[in-house]
Amino acid sequence: MASVRFDAVGKRFGSVEAVRELSLEIADGEFMVLVGPSGSGKTTALRMLAGLEAISAGSIFIGDKRVNDVAPRERDIAMVFQDYALYPQMSVFDNLAFGLRRRKVASDEIKRRVEEAARVLDMSELLARKPGQLSGGQAQRVALGRALVREPQVFLMDEPLSNLDAKLRTQTRGEIRRLQQEVETTTVYVTHDQVEAMTMGDRIAVMNDGRLEQVGTPEELYERPANRFVAGFIGSPSMSFFTGPEVGLTLPRNGAVVGVRPEHVRPWREGLIGPLKGRVAFVEALGRETFVGVDVGEARLVVFEEGRAVRDVGDEIEFGLVESGLRYFSSESGAAL
Amino acid sequence: MTSRAEQSLGYVILGVFSLIALLPVAGIVFTALQDPDGFAAFGSIDGLHFSNFTTAWDEANFGTYLKNSVFVTVVVVSVSSVLSILAGYAFGLMRFRGSTVLFYVFLLGLMVPMEAIIVPLYYEMRDNWKLQNTYWSIILPQIATSVAFGTFWMRTYFRSVPRSLVEAARLDGASSWFTLWRVLLPLAKPAVLTMGVLLFMWTWNEFLLVLVMITDDSKLTAPLGLSVFQGRNTSDLTLMAAGSVIVALPVVIVYVFLQRHFIRGMLSGAVKG
Ligand SMILES: Nc1ncnc2c1ncn2[C@@H]1O[C@H](COP(=O)(O)OP(=O)(O)OP(=O)(O)O)[C@@H](O)[C@H]1O
Ligand SMILES: [Mg+2]
C-alpha cells in the first residue's frame, strides 16, 4: 500500500489542456473520488497515474517514488475499466490469474488467491465460465476480482458502475466500499455521478475544466463549498443561486450571490427569513419528500416539503429561508465569502 | 421486417446471380468428365470419365507444377502473415515517430499493380540480385505485395479491438509481445484466417510474375504449367478442362474448409472498418 501525490501535474493534447496544475495528495489507504462534469480531465488524471498517458508537466509520486518515467507494469497498480476489459478467450479463473502469472507468482498461491477473491465476491461458481457467458453485473465483479487478486499498491477505477442498472449500481457501490475498507488499499475512483462520490469517498476531489476546484470530505464539500461551481455540482437537487435584490430581500452581504440548498428553503413559518412569494414552476414528488421549483422574479429556488405535497404548476406559494443554510459567493470570482 | 414477397424476390435475384457465377464452373467440370474419345462439346455430359484427370496429370507434369505452387504459396503466405501481424500490430496500436508516413508507403505497395513494376523488377532481379529463374524471384516480390495488403488488413483489425483490453494487459504486467500472441491473436483468428485465404488465392493464381521471372519449366507454378499445357493441347478440350480443375481445386478446398471463418472475418471487417 502506498500514498499517491500529484505535484502540479499537467496534460496537453495538442491545443487542449486536459489537466492543469493538478496538485493532490492521497493518503495511504484512502478512498479518493475524482468527480466532475464530462471532459473535466478525471480520466486523463487517472490514466497518467496508471502510466497509460504520458505526463506533460509536473510529477506523480506513488509512495516516495517519482513514477513519471516508470512503465505501467512496474507501478504495481490495478485498474478497473469502464467496459471491464476482460480477456474474452480466457476463463474467469484465467482472467484473474493473468496478472499473477505475469508476475511469476507460484501456481498454488495463484489458486489460493483467486479462490479467495472469488469467495469474497461471491462468484466461485463463475470461475470456469468465459466472459461472454456473464451478465453485466457478473462481468463487473470479475473485473473487480481481477484487480483484487493482484494485491496492488493502488486501485484505479474509471466509472466502473456506469454500465450497470440503477439497483445493481447502488448495491455494487456498497460492495466496492466494503471491500476497500477490508483490504485498505489506496483507491482512486473516477465518476461523474455526485451521488457515487458522496456515498463512497473518504475525500472527494472536484474537477472542472482540467482544474481542481476543491478537495475535502463529503461533509466539507456539502457544507462549505469553496466556490459556486462546487456548491452547484454537489447535492441533488442542486443549490439555488440568487441575489438579495432579485427576491426583494436585504441580506447581510450586499452584492454577493446567495446560495441555498432545498432543505433550507421551506414553506413559510415563523423564524425563517421571509416570507417570499413565488409561482410554482415544477413539482418533483418523490413520495417521502417533494421538491417544488419556485420562480421569484428572475430567480428560481427549490422548496423542500416533507411527504407528498399537493401543488400545481402556476400556484402561488409562500416560503422562507433558513438563515444558517445561506452561503455567500463573490459575484465576480464565484469564490465563497 | 421484409415481407414475404420481398424475401422471395431476394431469393430469385440471388439464385439468378448464383447461376451466372456457377454455370461456367459447372461447364468446366462437366467438360472434364466427358468421354476423351467422343466429340468434345463445352458443358455437355456423356457420362463420368475420370481418366481425363490421370491423363492430364501425367501428360502435363502437373505433379511438379503443383509441388512448386504449394512450396511457393506456403512460404509466401506464412512469412507474409507473420510479418503482416507484426506490422499491423505496430501500426494499429503503437505510437511511434513517422508511423503515418510509413503506413502510406505500405499503402503504396497495395495500390501499385504488378504490371506497373514488373519490368524494372525483372532487371533488378536479373542484374543486381542474380535471382532470375529461382524461386526467390517469385517468392520475394509476392511477400512484398502480400505484406502491403496484410498490414493494412491487420491494422484495421487491431484498431477495432477495444483499447482497454491492451491497456489491461499492460497493467497486468504483459509485454507487448505477450499481449500480441496471447491476448490479441486468439481473438484475431477470423481476421488472420481470412487474410490467409486471400493471400493464398492471390499467390496461387499469380501468373504474370512467374511468367516473366521463371524460364525453367521445372520451376513453373501450376497456372503457368496449365498455360504451357494449353499451348501443346489446344485441340483437346476435355484434357484442358481436366487440367483447369486440377489447378483450381486447391483454392476451392482451402476456401471450403475456412469459409465459415472467412465470412465472419469479412463481416467484422465490414462492420468495424
Ligand atoms: N487522447 C486524447 N486526445 C485528445 N484530446 C483528449 C484525449 N483524451 C482526452 N482528451 C480531451 O481532454 C479533456 C479531458 O478528457 P477526459 O477524458 O479526461 O475527461 P473526463 O473528465 O474523464 O470526462 P468524462 O466524464 O466524459 O469521462 C477533454 O476535453 C477531452 O476531449
Ligand atoms: Mg472519463
Side-chain angles (χ1 to χ4, degrees):
Chain A
M1 265 154 285
S3 59
V4 170
R5 187 151 64 89
F6 287 83
D7 188 11
V9 172
K11 176 69 186 179
R12 302 186 70 93
F13 293 107
S15 62
V16 180
E17 260 193 279
V19 173
R20 312 168 200 233
E21 293 264 330
L22 174 65
S23 293
L24 178 64
E25 286 198 40
I26 303 163
D28 189 4
E30 189 173 30
F31 196 114
M32 173 65 81
V33 176
L34 297 186
V35 71
S38 193
S40 55
K42 313 176 292 287
T43 297
T44 306
L46 196 74
R47 289 171 58 82
M48 283 193 284
L49 175 54
L52 298 173
E53 210 76 73
I55 299 164
S56 308
S59 312
I60 294 180
F61 296 85
I62 297 178
D64 298 326
K65 191 171 174 201
R66 184 172 183 271
V67 293
N68 286 38
D69 302 315
V70 177
R73 60 177 154 155
E74 262 117 51
R75 294 189 187 193
D76 198 11
I77 44 187
M79 183 152 167
V80 179
F81 291 84
Q82 183 172 354
D83 61 0
Y84 313 141
L86 301 177
Y87 310 121
Q89 75 278 24
M90 298 178 202
S91 68
V92 169
F93 185 99
D94 289 337
N95 262 279
L96 267 59
F98 187 92
L100 300 176
R101 290 192 179 130
R102 292 294 83 218
R103 289 182 156 73
K104 309 273 182 278
V105 177
S107 66
D108 46 347
E109 167 74 0
I110 291 179
K111 193 161 171 341
R112 191 190 64 71
R113 282 213 229 167
V114 170
E115 280 167 2
E116 168 69 9
R119 193 186 56 72
V120 171
L121 287 164
D122 193 20
M123 56 174 201
S124 305
E125 74 286 359
L126 303 180
L127 287 177
R129 293 209 205 156
K130 297 271 173 71
Q133 304 163 320
L134 302 174
S135 72
Q138 290 169 335
Q140 214 282 334
R141 289 217 295 285
V142 174
L144 276 179
R146 191 170 64 180
L148 209 59
V149 289
R150 286 265 313 279
E151 298 177 7
Q153 302 274 355
V154 187
F155 284 137
L156 307 182
M157 307 194 189
D158 192 357
E159 314 216 10
L161 305 184
S162 57
N163 289 337
L164 301 181
D165 64 51
K167 183 146 171 273
L168 206 52
R169 199 179 304 174
T170 315
Q171 189 185 325
T172 313
R173 208 157 73 193
E175 195 165 2
I176 292 180
R177 191 64 190 127
R178 178 179 62 79
L179 280 174
Q180 196 269 342
Q181 275 163 349
E182 234 168 80
V183 297
E184 295 183 321
T185 302
T186 314
T187 302
V188 186
Y189 184 105
V190 164
T191 179
H192 62 257
D193 179 353
Q194 55 98 13
V195 178
E196 248 169 54
M198 293 296 281
T199 51
M200 298 179 82
D202 288 324
R203 285 194 303 154
I204 301 172
V206 182
M207 296 190 63
N208 179 32
D209 198 17
R211 258 185 297 266
L212 180 62
E213 297 281 353
Q214 187 175 5
V215 200
T217 63
E219 296 75 29
E220 278 167 4
L221 296 194
Y222 194 79
E223 298 298 336
R224 291 187 297 283
N227 54 46
R228 255 186 88 163
F229 177 81
V230 176
F233 191 78
I234 300 287
S236 172
S238 54
M239 190 179 258
S240 317
F241 298 100
F242 58 91
T243 58
E246 270 177 349
V247 298
L249 281 179
T250 316
L251 292 163
R253 297 174 198 254
N254 232 339
V257 174
V258 185
V260 63
R261 295 195 186 279
E263 61 267 33
H264 299 127
V265 187
R266 294 303 185 94
W268 174 250
R269 63 165 196 268
E270 280 308 316
L272 299 179
I273 302 175
L276 297 167
K277 282 199 182 76
R279 281 193 184 284
V280 174
F282 67 83
V283 181
E284 242 173 50
L286 302 178
R288 207 174 325 151
E289 69 245 352
T290 305
F291 296 103
V292 184
V294 180
D295 285 334
V296 187
E298 294 290 282
R300 171 170 296 174
L301 281 77
V302 179
V303 180
F304 176 91
E305 294 192 65
E306 307 268 356
R308 182 175 290 276
V310 189
R311 305 260 180 213
D312 281 321
V313 173
D315 282 359
E316 183 117 310
I317 179 174
E318 204 167 54
F319 62 96
L321 310 173
V322 179
E323 181 160 20
S324 65
L326 300 186
R327 299 286 175 272
Y328 298 93
F329 302 96
S330 155
S331 56
E332 283 110 45
S333 69
L337 298 173
Chain B
M1 290 299 290
T2 46
S3 69
R4 280 188 74 91
E6 267 179 284
Q7 212 173 16
S8 322
L9 185 67
Y11 278 117
V12 169
I13 293 173
L14 287 175
V16 168
F17 277 94
S18 309
L19 269 184
I20 294 175
L22 283 176
L23 271 180
V25 178
I28 298 267
V29 174
F30 291 152
T31 310
L33 291 169
Q34 277 167 18
D35 184 352
D37 302 322
F39 177 74
F42 184 80
S44 68
I45 308 171
D46 60 356
L48 303 176
H49 300 272
F50 288 99
S51 62
N52 294 324
F53 291 102
T54 39
T55 315
W57 183 277
D58 294 337
E59 277 190 19
N61 213 4
F62 273 121
T64 311
Y65 298 143
L66 284 177
K67 211 174 71 222
N68 294 341
S69 268
V70 168
F71 172 68
V72 169
T73 308
V74 166
V75 173
V76 169
V77 172
S78 48
V79 171
S80 37
S81 293
V82 172
L83 294 180
S84 300
I85 288 168
L86 294 174
Y89 182 48
F91 282 118
L93 292 174
M94 294 175 178
R95 279 176 246 172
F96 54 94
R97 204 178 280 274
S99 62
T100 320
V101 175
L102 253 183
F103 183 64
Y104 284 130
V105 174
F106 271 72
L107 277 188
L108 212 63
L110 189 61
M111 290 180 295
V112 178
M114 190 59 86
E115 286 76 0
I117 52 170
I118 188 74
V119 172
L121 190 62
Y122 172 76
Y123 288 111
E124 181 80 3
M125 282 290 170
R126 193 187 69 177
D127 302 340
N128 294 344
W129 297 67
K130 313 271 187 258
L131 287 176
Q132 181 225 6
N133 203 23
T134 64
Y135 289 124
W136 291 118
S137 67
I138 50 179
I139 287 177
L140 293 177
Q142 291 195 87
I143 287 180
T145 51
S146 299
V147 165
F149 167 77
T151 301
F152 173 75
W153 178 263
M154 290 314 296
R155 171 183 176 271
T156 309
Y157 168 74
F158 285 121
R159 286 261 158 127
S160 75
V161 173
R163 244 198 125 70
S164 57
L165 202 59
V166 180
E167 293 174 343
R170 270 177 86 189
L171 293 178
D172 264 346
S175 60
S176 298
W177 189 253
F178 191 88
T179 306
L180 172 61
W181 298 110
R182 293 301 180 75
V183 177
L184 295 175
L185 222 50
L187 302 174
K189 218 159 102 194
V192 172
L193 286 178
T194 306
M195 176 178 75
V197 173
L198 291 172
L199 295 184
F200 179 90
M201 220 156 64
W202 294 334
T203 312
W204 188 269
N205 293 335
E206 178 59 47
F207 190 86
L208 181 65
L209 183 69
V210 187
L211 177 69
V212 171
M213 294 294 175
I214 305 287
T215 46
D216 186 347
D217 186 71
S218 69
K219 287 182 187 148
L220 290 179
T221 56
L224 268 294
L226 183 62
S227 116
V228 170
F229 183 51
Q230 182 188 23
R232 289 201 306 253
N233 294 280
T234 32
S235 56
D236 198 333
L237 191 58
T238 20
L239 276 189
M240 276 305 306
S244 308
V245 171
I246 291 173
V247 172
L249 204 58
V251 175
V252 176
I253 291 173
V254 167
Y255 179 79
V256 166
F257 272 103
L258 298 180
Q259 57 134 343
R260 211 159 38 90
H261 297 288
F262 183 79
I263 290 168
R264 196 154 16 121
M266 288 301 238
L267 283 180
S268 69
V271 174
K272 284 172 188 153

